[in-house]
Amino acid sequence: FNLLSSKPILTIFRASGAEWSMNYTQQEICALNGSTVFMNGTFTHPEQLTVKKSFWAIDPVKNVEPNDLSKDPNYSGRVINLIDKRKFYLKLSNVTKKDEHRYCFRIITNKPDQKWLGKPEVTLQVTELHVESPGEVTEGQSVNLTCKTTCSLTDPTFIWYKDGRPLTTEMIQKNQQLHLQTVSSEDAGSYSCAVRGSEHLPSTAQTLRVRHPPKSVSVSISPSGGIVEGSSVNLTCSSDGDPPVEIYTWFKEGGDSPVGSGHSYVPLQSGSYYCQAQNQHGTQRSAAVSVLIKGNIYKI
Ligand SMILES: *[C@@H]1O[C@H](CO)[C@@H](O)[C@H](O)[C@H]1NC(C)=O
Ligand SMILES: *[C@@H]1O[C@H](CO)[C@@H](O)[C@H](O)[C@H]1NC(C)=O
Ligand SMILES: *[C@@H]1O[C@H](CO)[C@@H](O)[C@H](O)[C@H]1NC(C)=O
Ligand SMILES: *[C@@H]1O[C@H](CO)[C@@H](O)[C@H](O)[C@H]1NC(C)=O
Ligand SMILES: *[C@@H]1O[C@H](CO)[C@@H](O)[C@H](O)[C@H]1NC(C)=O
Ligand SMILES: *[C@@H]1O[C@H](CO)[C@@H](O)[C@H](O)[C@H]1NC(C)=O
Ligand SMILES: *[C@@H]1O[C@H](CO)[C@@H](O)[C@H](O)[C@H]1NC(C)=O
């Protein structure tokens, strides 16, 4: 029976017993922002009574007749109230922080002095998921990411995403934590979490930065081919590394001492050149490239 209709309820519910009683299945509910919440319960009432009306209300005040939640504009379109024999429930959709109240079920019967309000009420708390992360780590260290909530969800299974893709279960997950052991530069990225069954309500993403030495270091030649006549060839060193590489050193193969420094280098002689990229976490050299210079590049 959907009691949202304004027609008077004339059905005689067979929820009768010797006396009044009303219980809620859960007294405290922790729900994800945006999710749908059920508040369930059972009741009995003295046999001779007929239920005339029943509804849910929030934050009841002693000696004040509570208001029907389904008529509250703040809950418009989000409330479904069902009653079936001894059972009743409230289905509340799209919950937000503003729905954090005490909820109770009200029954009004054919006898004006025979009403019932189910107390203690159901307390609703609404939480967001939030990834707690140190933000940055150095390669080789281990790191724990935590999927935080502000209240305790019932039996949650947490799921983790990296750059929007679900992480495989090979990763060590325990409760709401993701353990990343011996972090490498591939672990850098954007992490978010969700609860199984509510994958459409994930946390916002948190970036994990992994400080690491330069890895892929390479030299590009301009003009390509490395054979120039009468004009200069320009070598440019590129690399990853976090923090970004700021120290580049150039070598000519066969020689021990550097021939130049800086992001790019203009060789004066033919030969094989390579660069070395360095940040505070380490140094890495590139493969060598061959340069053939014909003629006099100083020709004016
Ligand atoms: C809760 O979800 C709604 C959308 O359903 C969103 O507008 C709101 O910002 C969220 N609340 C918080 C605290 O993030
Ligand atoms: C409440 O009732 C609804 C509808 O019958 C059901 O889907 C849900 O699992 C129930 N929840 C609890 C906690 O009993
Ligand atoms: C409510 O709980 C009390 C105590 O646990 C129990 O005696 C009573 O039968 C319950 N009432 C209903 C309607 O389930
Ligand atoms: C609706 O919510 C707002 C803010 O939470 C509150 O000030 C207002 O009293 C509520 N309206 C009703 C009818 O309860
Ligand atoms: C609940 O949220 C969904 C998705 O954000 C939206 O499509 C729907 O209209 C909302 N329903 C109500 C009753 O606010
Ligand atoms: C990660 O959590 C585990 C267990 O909770 C703990 O033993 C370990 O020290 C933590 N590691 C870091 C880097 O905090
Ligand atoms: C070499 O190339 C780099 C990158 O394209 C450029 O920044 C630099 O000015 C060039 N140097 C010379 C001498 O052409």
Side-chain angles (χ1 to χ4, degrees), residues 43-61:
F43 74 102
T44 60
H45 63 73
E47 267 167 45
Q48 68 279 12
L49 299 175
T50 303
V51 175
K52 283 286 195 196
K53 196 176 161 193
S54 71
F55 58 88
W56 285 80
I58 52 170
D59 306 330
V61 176

Side-chain angles (χ1 to χ4, degrees), residues 234 236 264 266:
N234 186 0
T236 303
S264 61
V266 177

